[in-house]
PDB file of all heavy atoms in Angstrom:
ATOM      1  N   ILE A   1       9.600  86.924-188.582  1.00  0.00           N
ATOM      2  CA  ILE A   1       8.976  88.173-188.142  1.00  0.00           C
ATOM      3  C   ILE A   1       7.484  88.134-188.400  1.00  0.00           C
ATOM      4  O   ILE A   1       6.668  88.522-187.567  1.00  0.00           O
ATOM      5  CB  ILE A   1       9.585  89.365-188.897  1.00  0.00           C
ATOM      6  CG1 ILE A   1      11.107  89.490-188.611  1.00  0.00           C
ATOM      7  CG2 ILE A   1       8.893  90.693-188.506  1.00  0.00           C
ATOM      8  CD1 ILE A   1      11.809  90.516-189.473  1.00  0.00           C
ATOM      9  N   PHE A   2       7.114  87.620-189.573  1.00  0.00           N
ATOM     10  CA  PHE A   2       5.713  87.544-189.986  1.00  0.00           C
ATOM     11  C   PHE A   2       4.918  86.645-189.041  1.00  0.00           C
ATOM     12  O   PHE A   2       3.834  86.979-188.568  1.00  0.00           O
ATOM     13  CB  PHE A   2       5.642  87.076-191.410  1.00  0.00           C
ATOM     14  CG  PHE A   2       4.320  87.229-192.101  1.00  0.00           C
ATOM     15  CD1 PHE A   2       3.439  88.252-191.780  1.00  0.00           C
ATOM     16  CD2 PHE A   2       3.945  86.339-193.115  1.00  0.00           C
ATOM     17  CE1 PHE A   2       2.232  88.400-192.407  1.00  0.00           C
ATOM     18  CE2 PHE A   2       2.710  86.487-193.757  1.00  0.00           C
ATOM     19  CZ  PHE A   2       1.867  87.506-193.417  1.00  0.00           C
ATOM     20  N   LYS A   3       5.497  85.477-188.770  1.00  0.00           N
ATOM     21  CA  LYS A   3       4.783  84.510-187.906  1.00  0.00           C
ATOM     22  C   LYS A   3       4.616  85.030-186.500  1.00  0.00           C
ATOM     23  O   LYS A   3       3.608  84.760-185.852  1.00  0.00           O
ATOM     24  CB  LYS A   3       5.547  83.163-187.901  1.00  0.00           C
ATOM     25  CG  LYS A   3       5.357  82.350-189.156  1.00  0.00           C
ATOM     26  CD  LYS A   3       6.041  80.977-189.016  1.00  0.00           C
ATOM     27  CE  LYS A   3       5.716  80.092-190.198  1.00  0.00           C
ATOM     28  NZ  LYS A   3       6.320  78.737-190.069  1.00  0.00           N
ATOM     29  N   THR A   4       5.594  85.778-186.021  1.00  0.00           N
ATOM     30  CA  THR A   4       5.464  86.350-184.674  1.00  0.00           C
ATOM     31  C   THR A   4       4.276  87.292-184.613  1.00  0.00           C
ATOM     32  O   THR A   4       3.474  87.239-183.658  1.00  0.00           O
ATOM     33  CB  THR A   4       6.756  87.112-184.284  1.00  0.00           C
ATOM     34  OG1 THR A   4       7.844  86.207-184.213  1.00  0.00           O
ATOM     35  CG2 THR A   4       6.613  87.823-182.961  1.00  0.00           C
ATOM     36  N   GLN A   5       4.131  88.130-185.637  1.00  0.00           N
ATOM     37  CA  GLN A   5       2.976  89.042-185.671  1.00  0.00           C
ATOM     38  C   GLN A   5       1.669  88.290-185.822  1.00  0.00           C
ATOM     39  O   GLN A   5       0.700  88.586-185.136  1.00  0.00           O
ATOM     40  CB  GLN A   5       3.129  90.056-186.791  1.00  0.00           C
ATOM     41  CG  GLN A   5       1.955  91.052-186.818  1.00  0.00           C
ATOM     42  CD  GLN A   5       2.130  92.196-187.785  1.00  0.00           C
ATOM     43  OE1 GLN A   5       2.751  92.038-188.848  1.00  0.00           O
ATOM     44  NE2 GLN A   5       1.589  93.340-187.438  1.00  0.00           N
ATOM     45  N   LEU A   6       1.643  87.278-186.690  1.00  0.00           N
ATOM     46  CA  LEU A   6       0.421  86.512-186.883  1.00  0.00           C
ATOM     47  C   LEU A   6       0.006  85.773-185.617  1.00  0.00           C
ATOM     48  O   LEU A   6      -1.187  85.673-185.315  1.00  0.00           O
ATOM     49  CB  LEU A   6       0.601  85.547-188.052  1.00  0.00           C
ATOM     50  CG  LEU A   6       0.692  86.148-189.454  1.00  0.00           C
ATOM     51  CD1 LEU A   6       1.034  85.085-190.488  1.00  0.00           C
ATOM     52  CD2 LEU A   6      -0.638  86.860-189.810  1.00  0.00           C
ATOM     53  N   ARG A   7       0.967  85.189-184.891  1.00  0.00           N
ATOM     54  CA  ARG A   7       0.654  84.521-183.638  1.00  0.00           C
ATOM     55  C   ARG A   7       0.000  85.519-182.669  1.00  0.00           C
ATOM     56  O   ARG A   7      -1.025  85.195-182.007  1.00  0.00           O
ATOM     57  CB  ARG A   7       1.929  83.950-182.996  1.00  0.00           C
ATOM     58  CG  ARG A   7       2.392  82.638-183.621  1.00  0.00           C
ATOM     59  CD  ARG A   7       3.654  82.139-182.882  1.00  0.00           C
ATOM     60  NE  ARG A   7       3.387  81.899-181.481  1.00  0.00           N
ATOM     61  CZ  ARG A   7       3.004  80.719-180.942  1.00  0.00           C
ATOM     62  NH1 ARG A   7       2.813  79.656-181.722  1.00  0.00           N
ATOM     63  NH2 ARG A   7       2.814  80.599-179.639  1.00  0.00           N
ATOM     64  N   ALA A   8       0.579  86.716-182.567  1.00  0.00           N
ATOM     65  CA  ALA A   8       0.033  87.725-181.656  1.00  0.00           C
ATOM     66  C   ALA A   8      -1.389  88.123-182.061  1.00  0.00           C
ATOM     67  O   ALA A   8      -2.276  88.264-181.237  1.00  0.00           O
ATOM     68  CB  ALA A   8       0.952  88.925-181.639  1.00  0.00           C
ATOM     69  N   LEU A   9      -1.610  88.296-183.370  1.00  0.00           N
ATOM     70  CA  LEU A   9      -2.909  88.700-183.875  1.00  0.00           C
ATOM     71  C   LEU A   9      -3.960  87.608-183.645  1.00  0.00           C
ATOM     72  O   LEU A   9      -5.088  87.885-183.198  1.00  0.00           O
ATOM     73  CB  LEU A   9      -2.821  89.031-185.364  1.00  0.00           C
ATOM     74  CG  LEU A   9      -2.222  90.378-185.719  1.00  0.00           C
ATOM     75  CD1 LEU A   9      -1.872  90.445-187.192  1.00  0.00           C
ATOM     76  CD2 LEU A   9      -3.207  91.510-185.360  1.00  0.00           C
ATOM     77  N   LEU A  10      -3.599  86.360-183.946  1.00  0.00           N
ATOM     78  CA  LEU A  10      -4.573  85.267-183.778  1.00  0.00           C
ATOM     79  C   LEU A  10      -4.899  85.074-182.317  1.00  0.00           C
ATOM     80  O   LEU A  10      -6.053  84.822-181.953  1.00  0.00           O
ATOM     81  CB  LEU A  10      -4.008  83.997-184.418  1.00  0.00           C
ATOM     82  CG  LEU A  10      -3.986  84.015-185.946  1.00  0.00           C
ATOM     83  CD1 LEU A  10      -3.208  82.827-186.489  1.00  0.00           C
ATOM     84  CD2 LEU A  10      -5.418  83.981-186.508  1.00  0.00           C
ATOM     85  N   ARG A  11      -3.909  85.137-181.433  1.00  0.00           N
ATOM     86  CA  ARG A  11      -4.172  85.030-180.009  1.00  0.00           C
ATOM     87  C   ARG A  11      -5.097  86.114-179.517  1.00  0.00           C
ATOM     88  O   ARG A  11      -6.043  85.869-178.762  1.00  0.00           O
ATOM     89  CB  ARG A  11      -2.849  85.075-179.228  1.00  0.00           C
ATOM     90  CG  ARG A  11      -1.981  83.834-179.319  1.00  0.00           C
ATOM     91  CD  ARG A  11      -0.645  84.063-178.635  1.00  0.00           C
ATOM     92  NE  ARG A  11      -0.843  84.446-177.225  1.00  0.00           N
ATOM     93  CZ  ARG A  11       0.124  85.025-176.503  1.00  0.00           C
ATOM     94  NH1 ARG A  11       1.290  85.340-177.038  1.00  0.00           N
ATOM     95  NH2 ARG A  11      -0.127  85.349-175.243  1.00  0.00           N
ATOM     96  N   ALA A  12      -4.882  87.345-180.031  1.00  0.00           N
ATOM     97  CA  ALA A  12      -5.714  88.466-179.619  1.00  0.00           C
ATOM     98  C   ALA A  12      -7.131  88.343-180.154  1.00  0.00           C
ATOM     99  O   ALA A  12      -8.091  88.890-179.564  1.00  0.00           O
ATOM    100  CB  ALA A  12      -5.104  89.777-180.110  1.00  0.00           C
ATOM    101  N   SER A  13      -7.310  87.599-181.240  1.00  0.00           N
ATOM    102  CA  SER A  13      -8.637  87.461-181.859  1.00  0.00           C
ATOM    103  C   SER A  13      -9.604  86.690-180.943  1.00  0.00           C
ATOM    104  O   SER A  13     -10.814  86.704-181.167  1.00  0.00           O
ATOM    105  CB  SER A  13      -8.537  86.761-183.202  1.00  0.00           C
ATOM    106  OG  SER A  13      -8.188  85.387-183.077  1.00  0.00           O
ATOM    107  N   ALA A  14      -9.076  86.026-179.922  1.00  0.00           N
ATOM    108  CA  ALA A  14      -9.923  85.328-178.955  1.00  0.00           C
ATOM    109  C   ALA A  14     -10.601  86.311-178.014  1.00  0.00           C
ATOM    110  O   ALA A  14     -11.531  85.951-177.263  1.00  0.00           O
ATOM    111  CB  ALA A  14      -9.105  84.332-178.164  1.00  0.00           C
ATOM    112  N   PHE A  15     -10.172  87.598-178.073  1.00  0.00           N
ATOM    113  CA  PHE A  15     -10.673  88.586-177.135  1.00  0.00           C
ATOM    114  C   PHE A  15     -11.506  89.697-177.822  1.00  0.00           C
ATOM    115  O   PHE A  15     -11.846  90.691-177.217  1.00  0.00           O
ATOM    116  CB  PHE A  15      -9.528  89.244-176.355  1.00  0.00           C
ATOM    117  CG  PHE A  15      -8.778  88.242-175.538  1.00  0.00           C
ATOM    118  CD1 PHE A  15      -7.688  87.534-176.076  1.00  0.00           C
ATOM    119  CD2 PHE A  15      -9.129  87.976-174.217  1.00  0.00           C
ATOM    120  CE1 PHE A  15      -6.987  86.608-175.333  1.00  0.00           C
ATOM    121  CE2 PHE A  15      -8.417  87.051-173.466  1.00  0.00           C
ATOM    122  CZ  PHE A  15      -7.367  86.359-174.013  1.00  0.00           C
ATOM    123  N   GLY A  16     -11.763  89.525-179.110  1.00  0.00           N
ATOM    124  CA  GLY A  16     -12.549  90.540-179.821  1.00  0.00           C
ATOM    125  C   GLY A  16     -12.693  90.174-181.268  1.00  0.00           C
ATOM    126  O   GLY A  16     -12.351  89.077-181.713  1.00  0.00           O
ATOM    127  N   ASN A  17     -13.184  91.124-182.049  1.00  0.00           N
ATOM    128  CA  ASN A  17     -13.509  90.905-183.456  1.00  0.00           C
ATOM    129  C   ASN A  17     -12.354  91.453-184.336  1.00  0.00           C
ATOM    130  O   ASN A  17     -12.421  92.576-184.820  1.00  0.00           O
ATOM    131  CB  ASN A  17     -14.812  91.608-183.799  1.00  0.00           C
ATOM    132  CG  ASN A  17     -15.306  91.334-185.205  1.00  0.00           C
ATOM    133  OD1 ASN A  17     -14.714  90.556-185.929  1.00  0.00           O
ATOM    134  ND2 ASN A  17     -16.377  91.983-185.596  1.00  0.00           N
ATOM    135  N   ILE A  18     -11.328  90.647-184.481  1.00  0.00           N
ATOM    136  CA  ILE A  18     -10.146  91.070-185.239  1.00  0.00           C
ATOM    137  C   ILE A  18     -10.154  90.485-186.653  1.00  0.00           C
ATOM    138  O   ILE A  18     -10.460  89.292-186.855  1.00  0.00           O
ATOM    139  CB  ILE A  18      -8.854  90.667-184.526  1.00  0.00           C
ATOM    140  CG1 ILE A  18      -8.628  91.561-183.303  1.00  0.00           C
ATOM    141  CG2 ILE A  18      -7.638  90.735-185.460  1.00  0.00           C
ATOM    142  CD1 ILE A  18      -7.349  91.265-182.526  1.00  0.00           C
ATOM    143  N   ALA A  19      -9.838  91.308-187.634  1.00  0.00           N
ATOM    144  CA  ALA A  19      -9.630  90.875-189.013  1.00  0.00           C
ATOM    145  C   ALA A  19      -8.187  91.252-189.376  1.00  0.00           C
ATOM    146  O   ALA A  19      -7.634  92.216-188.799  1.00  0.00           O
ATOM    147  CB  ALA A  19     -10.619  91.526-189.960  1.00  0.00           C
ATOM    148  N   ILE A  20      -7.585  90.509-190.288  1.00  0.00           N
ATOM    149  CA  ILE A  20      -6.180  90.754-190.652  1.00  0.00           C
ATOM    150  C   ILE A  20      -6.108  91.110-192.121  1.00  0.00           C
ATOM    151  O   ILE A  20      -6.704  90.475-192.971  1.00  0.00           O
ATOM    152  CB  ILE A  20      -5.290  89.524-190.385  1.00  0.00           C
ATOM    153  CG1 ILE A  20      -5.479  89.043-188.930  1.00  0.00           C
ATOM    154  CG2 ILE A  20      -3.834  89.861-190.655  1.00  0.00           C
ATOM    155  CD1 ILE A  20      -4.742  87.741-188.626  1.00  0.00           C
ATOM    156  N   MET A  21      -5.343  92.193-192.392  1.00  0.00           N
ATOM    157  CA  MET A  21      -5.219  92.713-193.766  1.00  0.00           C
ATOM    158  C   MET A  21      -3.780  92.786-194.172  1.00  0.00           C
ATOM    159  O   MET A  21      -2.918  93.191-193.370  1.00  0.00           O
ATOM    160  CB  MET A  21      -5.890  94.102-193.802  1.00  0.00           C
ATOM    161  CG  MET A  21      -5.791  94.836-195.114  1.00  0.00           C
ATOM    162  SD  MET A  21      -6.931  96.228-195.151  1.00  0.00           S
ATOM    163  CE  MET A  21      -6.221  97.336-193.916  1.00  0.00           C
ATOM    164  N   PHE A  22      -3.478  92.423-195.405  1.00  0.00           N
ATOM    165  CA  PHE A  22      -2.110  92.347-195.882  1.00  0.00           C
ATOM    166  C   PHE A  22      -1.840  93.393-196.960  1.00  0.00           C
ATOM    167  O   PHE A  22      -2.598  93.480-197.928  1.00  0.00           O
ATOM    168  CB  PHE A  22      -1.829  90.935-196.407  1.00  0.00           C
ATOM    169  CG  PHE A  22      -2.172  89.855-195.394  1.00  0.00           C
ATOM    170  CD1 PHE A  22      -3.402  89.229-195.458  1.00  0.00           C
ATOM    171  CD2 PHE A  22      -1.271  89.530-194.372  1.00  0.00           C
ATOM    172  CE1 PHE A  22      -3.733  88.248-194.515  1.00  0.00           C
ATOM    173  CE2 PHE A  22      -1.611  88.568-193.438  1.00  0.00           C
ATOM    174  CZ  PHE A  22      -2.846  87.923-193.498  1.00  0.00           C
ATOM    175  N   PRO A  23      -0.789  94.193-196.795  1.00  0.00           N
ATOM    176  CA  PRO A  23      -0.518  95.298-197.743  1.00  0.00           C
ATOM    177  C   PRO A  23       0.367  94.924-198.917  1.00  0.00           C
ATOM    178  O   PRO A  23       1.141  93.964-198.871  1.00  0.00           O
ATOM    179  CB  PRO A  23       0.205  96.316-196.832  1.00  0.00           C
ATOM    180  CG  PRO A  23       0.963  95.427-195.865  1.00  0.00           C
ATOM    181  CD  PRO A  23       0.096  94.231-195.630  1.00  0.00           C
ATOM    182  N   MET A  24       0.243  95.706-199.960  1.00  0.00           N
ATOM    183  CA  MET A  24       1.129  95.656-201.136  1.00  0.00           C
ATOM    184  C   MET A  24       1.103  94.339-201.877  1.00  0.00           C
ATOM    185  O   MET A  24       2.100  93.889-202.462  1.00  0.00           O
ATOM    186  CB  MET A  24       2.550  96.009-200.755  1.00  0.00           C
ATOM    187  CG  MET A  24       2.805  97.476-200.500  1.00  0.00           C
ATOM    188  SD  MET A  24       2.552  98.515-201.985  1.00  0.00           S
ATOM    189  CE  MET A  24       3.890  97.951-203.037  1.00  0.00           C
ATOM    190  N   VAL A  25      -0.047  93.683-201.893  1.00  0.00           N
ATOM    191  CA  VAL A  25      -0.206  92.412-202.620  1.00  0.00           C
ATOM    192  C   VAL A  25      -0.336  92.708-204.126  1.00  0.00           C
ATOM    193  O   VAL A  25      -1.049  93.622-204.511  1.00  0.00           O
ATOM    194  CB  VAL A  25      -1.463  91.650-202.127  1.00  0.00           C
ATOM    195  CG1 VAL A  25      -1.812  90.508-203.060  1.00  0.00           C
ATOM    196  CG2 VAL A  25      -1.203  91.113-200.707  1.00  0.00           C
ATOM    197  N   ILE A  26       0.369  91.925-204.939  1.00  0.00           N
ATOM    198  CA  ILE A  26       0.285  92.126-206.400  1.00  0.00           C
ATOM    199  C   ILE A  26      -0.030  90.859-207.147  1.00  0.00           C
ATOM    200  O   ILE A  26      -0.146  90.886-208.374  1.00  0.00           O
ATOM    201  CB  ILE A  26       1.569  92.741-206.964  1.00  0.00           C
ATOM    202  CG1 ILE A  26       2.765  91.819-206.729  1.00  0.00           C
ATOM    203  CG2 ILE A  26       1.843  94.141-206.383  1.00  0.00           C
ATOM    204  CD1 ILE A  26       4.037  92.208-207.499  1.00  0.00           C
ATOM    205  N   SER A  27      -0.201  89.729-206.436  1.00  0.00           N
ATOM    206  CA  SER A  27      -0.430  88.473-207.170  1.00  0.00           C
ATOM    207  C   SER A  27      -1.228  87.497-206.322  1.00  0.00           C
ATOM    208  O   SER A  27      -1.251  87.556-205.092  1.00  0.00           O
ATOM    209  CB  SER A  27       0.893  87.819-207.566  1.00  0.00           C
ATOM    210  OG  SER A  27       1.567  87.320-206.397  1.00  0.00           O
ATOM    211  N   VAL A  28      -1.886  86.564-207.003  1.00  0.00           N
ATOM    212  CA  VAL A  28      -2.633  85.484-206.338  1.00  0.00           C
ATOM    213  C   VAL A  28      -1.664  84.583-205.596  1.00  0.00           C
ATOM    214  O   VAL A  28      -1.960  84.104-204.499  1.00  0.00           O
ATOM    215  CB  VAL A  28      -3.449  84.680-207.365  1.00  0.00           C
ATOM    216  CG1 VAL A  28      -4.076  83.443-206.724  1.00  0.00           C
ATOM    217  CG2 VAL A  28      -4.514  85.550-207.991  1.00  0.00           C
ATOM    218  N   ASN A  29      -0.489  84.363-206.161  1.00  0.00           N
ATOM    219  CA  ASN A  29       0.498  83.515-205.528  1.00  0.00           C
ATOM    220  C   ASN A  29       0.909  84.034-204.138  1.00  0.00           C
ATOM    221  O   ASN A  29       1.063  83.276-203.186  1.00  0.00           O
ATOM    222  CB  ASN A  29       1.744  83.412-206.410  1.00  0.00           C
ATOM    223  CG  ASN A  29       2.765  82.416-205.834  1.00  0.00           C
ATOM    224  OD1 ASN A  29       2.463  81.274-205.566  1.00  0.00           O
ATOM    225  ND2 ASN A  29       4.001  82.897-205.639  1.00  0.00           N
ATOM    226  N   GLU A  30       1.022  85.359-204.026  1.00  0.00           N
ATOM    227  CA  GLU A  30       1.330  85.959-202.701  1.00  0.00           C
ATOM    228  C   GLU A  30       0.239  85.640-201.715  1.00  0.00           C
ATOM    229  O   GLU A  30       0.538  85.289-200.544  1.00  0.00           O
ATOM    230  CB  GLU A  30       1.508  87.473-202.843  1.00  0.00           C
ATOM    231  CG  GLU A  30       2.796  87.890-203.482  1.00  0.00           C
ATOM    232  CD  GLU A  30       2.876  89.390-203.707  1.00  0.00           C
ATOM    233  OE1 GLU A  30       1.824  90.032-203.921  1.00  0.00           O
ATOM    234  OE2 GLU A  30       3.979  89.933-203.668  1.00  0.00           O
ATOM    235  N   VAL A  31      -1.019  85.762-202.132  1.00  0.00           N
ATOM    236  CA  VAL A  31      -2.120  85.496-201.233  1.00  0.00           C
ATOM    237  C   VAL A  31      -2.117  84.035-200.793  1.00  0.00           C
ATOM    238  O   VAL A  31      -2.325  83.726-199.605  1.00  0.00           O
ATOM    239  CB  VAL A  31      -3.469  85.843-201.898  1.00  0.00           C
ATOM    240  CG1 VAL A  31      -4.635  85.488-200.965  1.00  0.00           C
ATOM    241  CG2 VAL A  31      -3.532  87.325-202.260  1.00  0.00           C
ATOM    242  N   LYS A  32      -1.827  83.137-201.695  1.00  0.00           N
ATOM    243  CA  LYS A  32      -1.779  81.711-201.348  1.00  0.00           C
ATOM    244  C   LYS A  32      -0.636  81.448-200.368  1.00  0.00           C
ATOM    245  O   LYS A  32      -0.773  80.633-199.421  1.00  0.00           O
ATOM    246  CB  LYS A  32      -1.622  80.877-202.594  1.00  0.00           C
ATOM    247  CG  LYS A  32      -2.911  80.864-203.459  1.00  0.00           C
ATOM    248  CD  LYS A  32      -2.797  79.971-204.678  1.00  0.00           C
ATOM    249  CE  LYS A  32      -4.121  79.901-205.402  1.00  0.00           C
ATOM    250  NZ  LYS A  32      -4.052  79.043-206.636  1.00  0.00           N
ATOM    251  N   GLN A  33       0.506  82.090-200.547  1.00  0.00           N
ATOM    252  CA  GLN A  33       1.619  81.959-199.610  1.00  0.00           C
ATOM    253  C   GLN A  33       1.214  82.464-198.232  1.00  0.00           C
ATOM    254  O   GLN A  33       1.505  81.826-197.209  1.00  0.00           O
ATOM    255  CB  GLN A  33       2.847  82.745-200.099  1.00  0.00           C
ATOM    256  CG  GLN A  33       3.592  82.128-201.252  1.00  0.00           C
ATOM    257  CD  GLN A  33       4.792  82.989-201.621  1.00  0.00           C
ATOM    258  OE1 GLN A  33       4.733  83.823-202.519  1.00  0.00           O
ATOM    259  NE2 GLN A  33       5.868  82.835-200.906  1.00  0.00           N
ATOM    260  N   ILE A  34       0.545  83.608-198.205  1.00  0.00           N
ATOM    261  CA  ILE A  34       0.081  84.187-196.942  1.00  0.00           C
ATOM    262  C   ILE A  34      -0.833  83.209-196.216  1.00  0.00           C
ATOM    263  O   ILE A  34      -0.672  82.953-195.009  1.00  0.00           O
ATOM    264  CB  ILE A  34      -0.650  85.513-197.175  1.00  0.00           C
ATOM    265  CG1 ILE A  34       0.329  86.590-197.647  1.00  0.00           C
ATOM    266  CG2 ILE A  34      -1.384  85.972-195.934  1.00  0.00           C
ATOM    267  CD1 ILE A  34      -0.346  87.835-198.235  1.00  0.00           C
TER     268      ILE A  34
END
């Protein structure tokens, strides 16, 4: 599910100034996984 959304977001970033933000992060390990 996550990869489907990320693919859509990255593809759309070719058409504008998109940044991606991740909710409910509580650890550095989560960020590295992301």
Side-chain angles (χ1 to χ4, degrees):
I1 299 172
F2 193 30
K3 284 186 173 182
T4 296
Q5 181 172 33
L6 289 173
R7 280 181 61 92
L9 283 166
L10 288 170
R11 286 174 58 198
S13 70
F15 299 89
N17 185 5
I18 287 181
I20 307 174
M21 177 166 67
F22 307 96
M24 284 298 292
V25 167
I26 61 169
S27 71
V28 173
N29 185 55
E30 285 175 330
V31 177
K32 290 183 175 179
Q33 285 181 264
I34 290 166

